[in-house]
Amino acid sequence: MVSTGVTEVKTFSDEEFFNLVDENTSLFIDELGETVAIQSVSAELEEHLDDVIQMMEWASTRIQKLGGTVQMVPNPAATSDRPLPPILLGEFNTNDVSKKTVCVYGHLDVQPANIEDGWDTEPFVLTENDGKLYGRGSTDDKGPALSWLWIIELHQKMGVELPVNIKILFEGMEESGSEGVFEVIHTEGKPGKFLDDVDFFCISDNYWLGKNKPCITYALRGLAYFQLSVQGSTQDLHSGVLGGTVHEAMTDLIALMGTLVDSSGKILVEGVMADVDPVTKEEEALYDTIDFDMEEYKEDNGIKSVSDKLLHDDKKSLLMHRWRYPTLSLHGIEGAFSGKGAKTVIPREVIGKFSLRLVPDQDPKKIEKLVVDHISTEFMKLTSPNKMKCEMLHGANAWISDTKHPNYEAAANAIEKVYNGVKPDYTREGGSIPITSALENATGMNVLLLPIGACDDGAHSQNEKYNISNLVNGVKVLGIYLHELGKIKGPKPSSCKCPAPLTEEELMIPGAFAFMRGFGCKCEM
Amino acid sequence: MVSTGVTEVKTFSDEEFFNLVDENTSLFIDELGETVAIQSVSAELEEHLDDVIQMMEWASTRIQKLGGTVQMVPNPAATSDRPLPPILLGEFNTNDVSKKTVCVYGHLDVQPANIEDGWDTEPFVLTENDGKLYGRGSTDDKGPALSWLWIIELHQKMGVELPVNIKILFEGMEESGSEGVFEVIHTEGKPGKFLDDVDFFCISDNYWLGKNKPCITYALRGLAYFQLSVQGSTQDLHSGVLGGTVHEAMTDLIALMGTLVDSSGKILVEGVMADVDPVTKEEEALYDTIDFDMEEYKEDNGIKSVSDKLLHDDKKSLLMHRWRYPTLSLHGIEGAFSGKGAKTVIPREVIGKFSLRLVPDQDPKKIEKLVVDHISTEFMKLTSPNKMKCEMLHGANAWISDTKHPNYEAAANAIEKVYNGVKPDYTREGGSIPITSALENATGMNVLLLPIGACDDGAHSQNEKYNISNLVNGVKVLGIYLHELGKIKGPKPSSCKCPAPLTEEELMIPGAFAFMRGFGCKCEM
C-alpha cells in the first residue's frame, strides 16, 4: 500500500477482513465478468492478439488505480511478423524494509472456446447459475489472478497497511507455452532487478483434488508438446480425381501418430520411461490416506455415462498415473477436414499435435530427441516420399518442492483459519505450470502452489466455471496467507535443497547466495 | 424457346452463334460472379442453408425470366429438425412433338472454402487474373450449369428456336451426397412424370484429363463415405489434469484409422478387392494411346515441388489406379483440436472421416458391411471401453457407358466443330457423380458426361478457377451439342445394354420399354 500520510497504523483483524470479503462478493463477480468478456485467447493470436493486449492493459490500469506501479515489458519473443502481448510487472511497495516481499503470478489469457463446442452458455459472458460462475477463464486463471487486486483494495477499505511488499507478474501467453515470459524471468532475476528481492512466490493456477477440501500442491508434471507435419502437395486435392495416384499425407500422419501410444495409455516411444523416478515406500504411503472419490471423479469428468471405466481401478494407482507417471495424449490434426458432414478432400499438409506430461527426472530435451528419433524411424518404415517434420513446440521440466518450507506453512495456516481448522491435503498436479521451476531457478526462492478452484471447474473444457464459494474463500485464504508471510522473520528463506546448504549465519553474509551458487549448489542446476 | 408468334423460323448458323458467345463473354463472367458470391456451401448447412436456398431461387428466377417454367420440389429428405434446399425442375418446351428432349443436370452448391485455407483471393469473390476466373464454384459446378441458360438466352437473341426441348434438373446438395435428389429422380422417372419423356441426359460436372484437349467421359468411380466416431467422455478434458487416468478417444480413433490403408495406397480392409473387374486386353490397350503428361500432372497438383513422386511410375498404371481401381482416403477428424498452435486437450468425442472410391463391380452395400466389420474387429482388439460407431454416410455405385451411343456421338461432333476438327479423348473419371447412374436407372435413357473445365481447375481445392477459354468454348460445345441432338431422328435411343435388346420396330410399340423392363432387361438391375 502506498503511503497515506496517516501516522496511526490500524491493526488487521481476520474477522473484519472476512466480513468485508463477503460484503464485496457481488463487486468481485461484476469485475470478473468484465474480464471474462475480453476474449484473450492466446492460442488464436491471429484473431485475438488485440484482446489479449486489451486484457493486459485492463490489469495495468486497475493496478495503477489502486496506487501500484506498473511496468509493461515488451514481449522479448515477439517479432515484426509475430507480435505478442507484453508482460506485466506490478508493485505495491510498503516502503518498509523490514517487510518480506512476495511475488504473485497469474495469467490473463485463456483457452479457446466456442459455443458450438458444447457450451450451455456463451463462453465469454460470465453467467451465474446455482452458485457457479460459468465462463472461459473464470477459474483459469482470471478469478484467482484478480483475487490479489481485490485483497489489496480491501486493505485500503480497511485502512490497513499491507503486511508484505507485493510484486505482481501477470502474463498473457500461458496457454501457449508462456512465450517470452521465461526470458523476462531470467533477466529480472538478476541482481538489482525486479525479482531479485523477492522472498516468496505464490501461484494460484491449479485445482483442488476434490470439490470440498482445500489443498496445497508441491509437485507438477512437466510437458513436451510436439507437432508432426506431413506434406504431400502444395494444394488440397479431390479424392475422386486424384485418389489412387498420390502419396496421401493423412495416411502417413495417421500411421505415425498410431505408433506413439496404445489404448491402455502405454507410451510406445522407446526409452521414454528410463528416467522416471522409482516409487519409494514413503511416497507410496502418502497415497493411502488421501481423500479422493473415484466415482465422483468419473461423474465430474463425464466418463460415468459413457464407459464408466478409468485406466486404473484403485485410487493409488490412478493418482500415481495422474501425478507421477508420464502420459502421452493425441490432441488433434491441423489442416485436415475438421467440420461436420462430408468433404472428399486429400489434404495437402496435415499437422498432428500431441504432448507428453513429464515427471521427475525426465528431461524435455532428452524426450525431444527420443520422440523425434522414434518418429524418424517409423517414417523410414513407411518409405513415403512425402515431406515430414517433427518438432517440440515447447518443453518444461517437472517440478517438486518441500511442504515444510515457511512459504508452505504460511499457506497451511491461512487455510486452517479460513476453513475452521481443516488441514489441507498435500497434492501433486498432473498438469504443467512451467513458470514454477522458471521462477525457482531464476531466483533460488521458494514457489508455492495454492489452488483456489475445485476439481470440477472444467479448465480447458466446455462450461468452465468458478464456484462463488471458492471465489470468496479464495480471497480470504490468499489474504490471510499474506499476513502469515508477514510474520516470518530472519534471512531470505531460499529454496535450496543442496546436500550441504549454507547455515543461517552464512546466509546473512552479503552475496552469500550468489557465492553458494558458484560452488555447485543444486539450485542452479 | 416459348412461342414468339413469329411464323418464319430463322435458321441456326454455327458462326453467328460462336460470334455471339464471344461478344457476350463479359456478361457471362458478371453473372458467374453474381452466383459465386452466394456462399451455397451444402456441407455447412447450419451456417449456409439460406445461401443454398437463395442460390436455387436465383436460378428459378433466371429461368422464368427466360420464359421457362420452374417447379421447386421440396426436398423429400428434409425433416423439421434438418431443413434442406429444394430441387429445381425447369423446362423450355418448344411445343414441337417431333423434337427430342434433353435433360441437363447441374448443381449449384459448392465445397466449403475459407481464405485461411490458403486461397490467394477471397473464395466467394470471382476474381479474374491472366485469363482465369478464381472463385469457389466457378468450375464446380456453377460455370457449366449456368452455360445452359446462356445458350438459351443466345438463341433468343438470335431469334432461333431451340433444336430440342430442354429440361433442367438443378440441385443444391451435390457436395453432400445429393440428399433427397435420388428420391425425386425415382419419382419423376415414372410414367407421365417430369423425366419420363426425356431422350438424353447431359451432365457437365467433371474435368478434362489435361488442359488442352477436350474429352468425353464414359465411366465413373463410385463412393462409400464413412464416419467413425469414438467417445470417451461427455466433455473435453485437460491432458495435464486427466491424462493417465482416462481411455482417450483419440488414441482409439487414430489406431482404427491406421488399419484402413497403408502408405503405398493399399487398402487393408479384407475382401474389398474381391469384386473389382479384372483388366481385359482390350481395355488395357485403350490406355496406350491416351494423351496424358505425368510431369504436368505432378506440376498442376502441387506434387512436383514437394516429393515429385506419384504412387505409380508409368502412365498406364497411374491412370488405371485413378480410374478403374478402388482407393481409400482419410479426410480428417471432427471434434479434435484442429487449430494452429498448441492446445492440451483430450477431446471427448472424435469422428474420423474417410471414403472409398468404388469401381465396377463393387457394391456399396457390400463394402459398407466389410468396412464396418473390419472396424468392429479392430476395435475389439483394442479392448477399449469407449463408445465406437462406424457408419456409411452415403454410397454410390460406379458407372460405365457406351461411347457409340448417339448421345455420345452428338457430343463428339460438337467438339469437332468447336475445336476445328479435334476428336475428343474418351476418358474415365476417378470421382463420383452418383446422379449419373440414378438418372440412367430411373429412365433407362443414356447419360452423357461432357466436361468443360480443365484438369487443373482445382475443384474442392484452394484457388478453384475456371479458364475464360473453357467458359467460352464450353458454351459453344454445349450449344452445338443441342443442335446435333436435334438431328437425331427415330425412336427413343435407350441406354439398354442387355444381351438381347428389343429391335427398333419392337421399340416403337407403345409401352415396349416398360415391357422390356418387365422381362429381365439389365437396365433395371
Side-chain angles (χ1 to χ4, degrees):
Chain A
M1 189 182 175
V2 289
S3 171
T4 56
V6 179
T7 48
E8 200 187 346
V9 177
K10 201 188 152 193
T11 317
F12 177 80
S13 139
D14 292 358
E15 198 163 319
E16 187 190 354
F17 176 64
F18 292 165
N19 288 338
L20 213 52
V21 173
D22 293 335
E23 284 163 20
N24 284 276
T25 301
S26 66
L27 293 177
F28 302 155
I29 294 172
D30 288 349
E31 191 159 271
L32 182 57
E34 197 182 318
T35 61
V36 164
I38 302 172
Q39 304 190 18
S40 48
V41 180
S42 60
E44 296 169 355
L45 280 190
E46 281 178 24
E47 192 183 344
H48 290 299
L49 175 63
D50 287 349
D51 295 320
V52 183
I53 291 173
Q54 187 197 337
M55 185 62 230
M56 298 306 293
E57 279 168 359
W58 182 97
S60 169
T61 305
R62 184 73 170 89
I63 290 167
Q64 289 176 73
K65 275 192 187 158
L66 285 171
T69 57
V70 172
Q71 185 190 348
M72 292 292 250
V73 181
N75 196 307
T79 63
S80 55
D81 288 345
R82 185 171 153 75
L84 292 171
I87 289 117
L88 184 157
L89 304 180
E91 185 165 3
F92 291 85
N93 195 321
T94 61
N95 295 317
D96 181 344
V97 290
S98 74
K99 286 185 176 171
K100 290 277 187 277
T101 298
V102 63
C103 176
V104 300
Y105 163 90
H107 68 89
L108 303 176
D109 61 316
V110 299
Q111 281 277 313
N114 292 295
I115 195 157
E116 298 81 35
D117 296 342
W119 284 71
D120 295 329
T121 60
E122 282 293 336
F124 295 103
V125 176
L126 191 72
T127 308
E128 182 176 340
N129 185 18
D130 197 24
K132 300 178 181 78
L133 303 165
Y134 292 90
R136 177 56 92 216
S138 57
T139 192
D140 182 19
D141 179 43
K142 288 176 175 174
L146 263 56
S147 297
W148 300 109
L149 307 185
W150 297 332
I151 290 163
I152 291 160
E153 188 165 43
L154 294 186
H155 276 75
Q156 293 180 357
K157 284 188 180 173
M158 292 187 294
V160 171
E161 281 203 0
L162 291 171
V164 285
N165 302 307
I166 299 179
K167 293 196 169 184
I168 293 172
L169 169 58
F170 280 171
E171 65 152 315
M173 288 299 291
E174 198 271 343
E175 302 292 3
S176 287
S178 292
E179 270 186 272
V181 178
F182 300 104
E183 292 92 318
V184 170
I185 289 172
H186 183 75
T187 305
E188 299 295 337
K190 290 181 178 169
K193 302 285 283 178
F194 183 76
L195 297 178
D196 184 44
D197 63 352
V198 171
D199 298 290
F200 312 98
F201 289 93
C202 181
I203 298 175
S204 184
D205 187 25
N206 65 309
Y207 307 91
W208 292 352
L209 184 56
K211 294 180 199 170
N212 303 310
K213 197 174 170 195
C215 302
I216 293 177
T217 306
Y218 69 97
L220 293 169
R221 290 198 290 195
L223 179 69
Y225 198 106
F226 289 86
Q227 73 175 24
L228 164 58
S229 71
V230 181
Q231 186 184 9
S233 55
T234 56
Q235 67 198 48
D236 286 356
L237 303 171
H238 185 298
S239 70
V241 181
L242 277 290
T245 66
V246 297
H247 295 270
E248 302 189 14
M250 266 294 273
T251 309
D252 291 348
L253 179 66
I254 295 287
L256 293 177
M257 290 177 83
T259 68
L260 293 166
V261 59
D262 74 14
S263 271
S264 70
K266 188 184 167 194
I267 302 173
L268 305 174
V269 180
E270 211 179 302
V272 154
M273 301 302 286
D275 293 336
V276 175
D277 279 350
V279 182
T280 62
K281 290 218 165 178
E282 263 174 340
E283 183 195 341
E284 200 177 337
L286 265 180
Y287 291 83
D288 290 330
T289 51
I290 218 153
D291 181 32
F292 180 71
D293 187 326
M294 307 246 308
E295 291 307 308
E296 218 168 54
Y297 184 76
K298 285 190 278 188
E299 186 70 58
D300 292 340
N301 292 298
I303 290 152
K304 190 117 195 138
S305 64
V306 180
S307 68
D308 197 27
K309 286 265 189 300
L310 296 168
L311 276 174
H312 307 278
D313 290 335
D314 62 295
K315 180 185 78 176
K316 188 188 288 185
S317 184
L318 193 80
L319 287 178
M320 281 193 175
H321 282 87
R322 189 181 180 193
W323 289 347
R324 63 104 55 235
Y325 285 118
T327 59
L328 194 154
S329 295
L330 307 174
H331 305 299
I333 297 174
E334 178 187 339
F337 175 52
S338 60
K340 290 184 193 294
K343 188 178 177 185
T344 53
V345 66
I346 300 173
R348 57 180 168 169
E349 182 175 14
V350 282
I351 305 171
K353 312 285 177 86
F354 63 93
S355 69
L356 290 94
R357 297 288 162 173
L358 308 182
V359 299
D361 213 19
Q362 291 179 305
D363 174 4
K365 287 275 167 211
K366 195 168 165 187
I367 296 296
E368 179 182 20
K369 187 174 172 354
L370 289 169
V371 169
V372 171
D373 286 353
H374 168 87
I375 290 291
S376 301
T377 305
E378 293 296 328
F379 187 65
M380 286 285 283
K381 290 184 195 167
L382 301 181
T383 65
S384 164
N386 289 330
K387 277 191 185 159
M388 186 279 289
K389 189 179 178 190
C390 181
E391 59 186 327
M392 189 168 80
L393 288 186
H394 43 260
N397 282 292
W399 165 87
I400 191 157
S401 188
D402 172 17
T403 58
K404 297 293 169 204
H405 191 279
N407 197 18
Y408 279 73
E409 287 180 343
N413 292 342
I415 286 170
E416 283 198 53
K417 285 190 176 177
V418 174
Y419 286 90
N420 304 314
V422 172
K423 286 182 200 293
D425 270 341
Y426 288 92
T427 60
R428 291 181 176 219
E429 183 71 66
S432 308
I433 311 175
I435 223 77
T436 313
S437 20
L439 290 169
E440 193 176 276
N441 291 340
T443 63
M445 304 312 288
N446 182 268
V447 183
L448 165 75
L449 298 185
L450 188 45
I452 291 181
C455 68
D456 63 342
D457 277 358
H460 295 214
S461 172
Q462 295 88 354
N463 300 319
E464 175 181 345
K465 60 88 181 163
Y466 195 37
N467 297 331
I468 295 176
S469 60
N470 286 65
L471 181 154
V472 169
N473 287 327
V475 174
K476 291 177 182 173
V477 166
L478 297 179
I480 301 296
Y481 159 69
L482 295 180
H483 284 269
E484 291 294 319
L485 286 184
K487 294 176 189 170
I488 300 171
K489 302 297 167 197
K492 280 170 90 74
S494 97
S495 187
C496 175
K497 290 167 287 201
C498 309
L502 300 192
T503 63
E504 283 205 4
E505 267 178 56
E506 283 169 331
L507 275 166
M508 292 297 282
I509 303 164
F513 201 74
F515 168 84
M516 196 171 78
R517 286 184 192 177
F519 285 82
C521 168
K522 277 201 174 175
C523 305
E524 271 299 270
M525 284 183 71
Chain B
M1 191 179 175
V2 289
S3 172
T4 56
V6 179
T7 47
E8 200 188 346
V9 176
K10 203 186 151 194
T11 317
F12 177 79
S13 139
D14 292 359
E15 198 163 320
E16 188 192 352
F17 176 63
F18 291 166
N19 288 338
L20 212 53
V21 173
D22 293 335
E23 284 162 20
N24 283 276
T25 302
S26 66
L27 292 177
F28 301 154
I29 295 173
D30 287 350
E31 192 159 271
L32 182 56
E34 198 184 314
T35 60
V36 164
I38 303 171
Q39 305 191 18
S40 48
V41 181
S42 59
E44 296 168 356
L45 280 190
E46 281 178 24
E47 193 183 343
H48 290 298
L49 175 64
D50 287 348
D51 295 319
V52 182
I53 291 172
Q54 188 196 336
M55 185 62 229
M56 299 306 293
E57 279 168 358
W58 182 97
S60 169
T61 305
R62 185 72 170 89
I63 290 167
Q64 290 177 73
K65 275 191 185 158
L66 285 170
T69 57
V70 172
Q71 185 190 348
M72 293 292 252
V73 182
N75 196 307
T79 63
S80 56
D81 288 345
R82 184 170 154 74
L84 293 172
I87 289 116
L88 184 157
L89 304 180
E91 186 165 5
F92 291 87
N93 195 323
T94 62
N95 295 317
D96 181 345
V97 290
S98 73
K99 285 184 178 172
K100 290 277 186 280
T101 297
V102 63
C103 176
V104 301
Y105 163 90
H107 68 88
L108 302 177
D109 61 316
V110 298
Q111 282 277 313
N114 292 295
I115 194 157
E116 299 81 34
D117 296 340
W119 283 72
D120 295 329
T121 59
E122 282 294 336
F124 295 104
V125 176
L126 191 72
T127 307
E128 183 176 341
N129 186 17
D130 197 22
K132 300 178 182 80
L133 303 166
Y134 292 91
R136 178 55 90 217
S138 57
T139 192
D140 182 18
D141 181 41
K142 288 176 176 174
L146 263 56
S147 299
W148 300 110
L149 307 186
W150 297 332
I151 290 162
I152 290 160
E153 188 165 44
L154 294 187
H155 276 73
Q156 293 181 356
K157 284 187 180 175
M158 293 188 293
V160 170
E161 280 204 0
L162 291 172
V164 287
N165 302 307
I166 298 179
K167 293 197 168 182
I168 294 172
L169 170 58
F170 281 171
E171 65 152 315
M173 287 300 290
E174 198 274 344
E175 302 293 4
S176 288
S178 293
E179 270 186 90
V181 178
F182 300 105
E183 291 91 318
V184 170
I185 289 173
H186 182 73
T187 304
E188 298 295 335
K190 289 183 179 165
K193 301 286 282 180
F194 183 74
L195 296 177
D196 184 42
D197 63 353
V198 172
D199 299 289
F200 311 99
F201 289 93
C202 180
I203 299 176
S204 183
D205 187 25
N206 65 309
Y207 307 92
W208 293 351
L209 184 55
K211 294 178 197 169
N212 303 308
K213 197 174 171 195
C215 302
I216 293 177
T217 306
Y218 69 97
L220 293 169
R221 290 197 290 195
L223 179 69
Y225 200 106
F226 289 86
Q227 74 174 23
L228 164 58
S229 71
V230 181
Q231 186 184 8
S233 55
T234 56
Q235 67 198 49
D236 286 354
L237 303 172
H238 186 298
S239 68
V241 180
L242 277 289
T245 65
V246 296
H247 295 270
E248 302 190 14
M250 265 295 273
T251 309
D252 291 346
L253 179 66
I254 295 286
L256 293 177
M257 289 178 83
T259 68
L260 293 166
V261 59
D262 73 14
S263 270
S264 70
K266 188 183 167 194
I267 302 173
L268 306 175
V269 180
E270 213 179 299
V272 155
M273 302 301 287
D275 292 335
V276 175
D277 278 349
V279 182
T280 61
K281 289 217 166 180
E282 264 174 340
E283 184 195 342
E284 201 176 339
L286 264 181
Y287 290 84
D288 290 329
T289 51
I290 218 155
D291 181 34
F292 181 71
D293 185 327
M294 307 244 310
E295 292 306 309
E296 218 167 53
Y297 185 77
K298 285 190 279 189
E299 185 70 56
D300 292 340
N301 292 298
I303 291 153
K304 189 115 194 139
S305 64
V306 180
S307 68
D308 197 27
K309 287 263 189 301
L310 296 169
L311 276 174
H312 306 279
D313 290 334
D314 63 297
K315 182 185 78 178
K316 189 187 289 183
S317 184
L318 192 80
L319 288 179
M320 280 192 175
H321 281 88
R322 190 181 179 193
W323 290 347
R324 63 104 56 236
Y325 285 118
T327 58
L328 194 155
S329 295
L330 308 173
H331 305 298
I333 298 173
E334 180 188 337
F337 175 52
S338 61
K340 290 182 192 297
K343 186 177 177 184
T344 52
V345 66
I346 298 173
R348 56 181 168 169
E349 182 176 15
V350 282
I351 306 171
K353 311 285 176 86
F354 63 93
S355 70
L356 290 94
R357 297 286 162 174
L358 308 182
V359 298
D361 215 22
Q362 291 179 305
D363 174 4
K365 287 275 167 215
K366 195 167 164 188
I367 296 296
E368 179 181 20
K369 187 174 175 351
L370 289 169
V371 169
V372 171
D373 285 354
H374 168 88
I375 290 290
S376 301
T377 304
E378 293 297 327
F379 187 66
M380 286 285 283
K381 291 183 193 167
L382 302 181
T383 63
S384 164
N386 289 331
K387 277 189 188 163
M388 187 280 288
K389 188 179 178 190
C390 181
E391 58 185 329
M392 188 167 79
L393 289 185
H394 45 262
N397 282 292
W399 167 87
I400 191 157
S401 188
D402 172 17
T403 58
K404 298 294 170 204
H405 191 278
N407 197 17
Y408 279 72
E409 287 180 344
N413 292 342
I415 286 170
E416 282 197 55
K417 285 189 178 179
V418 173
Y419 286 90
N420 303 312
V422 172
K423 285 183 199 295
D425 269 344
Y426 287 92
T427 61
R428 291 181 174 217
E429 183 71 67
S432 309
I433 311 175
I435 223 77
T436 313
S437 22
L439 290 170
E440 194 177 275
N441 291 340
T443 63
M445 305 312 287
N446 183 269
V447 183
L448 165 75
L449 298 185
L450 187 46
I452 291 182
C455 68
D456 63 343
D457 277 359
H460 294 214
S461 172
Q462 296 86 357
N463 301 316
E464 175 181 346
K465 59 90 180 160
Y466 195 36
N467 298 329
I468 295 176
S469 59
N470 287 64
L471 181 153
V472 170
N473 286 326
V475 174
K476 290 177 183 174
V477 165
L478 298 179
I480 301 297
Y481 160 70
L482 295 181
H483 284 269
E484 292 294 319
L485 286 184
K487 295 177 188 169
I488 301 171
K489 302 296 167 198
K492 279 169 92 75
S494 95
S495 188
C496 174
K497 289 167 288 200
C498 310
L502 300 192
T503 62
E504 282 204 6
E505 268 178 56
E506 283 170 332
L507 275 166
M508 292 297 284
I509 301 164
F513 200 77
F515 169 84
M516 195 172 80
R517 288 185 192 176
F519 284 82
C521 168
K522 275 200 171 174
C523 305
E524 272 299 274
M525 285 181 72

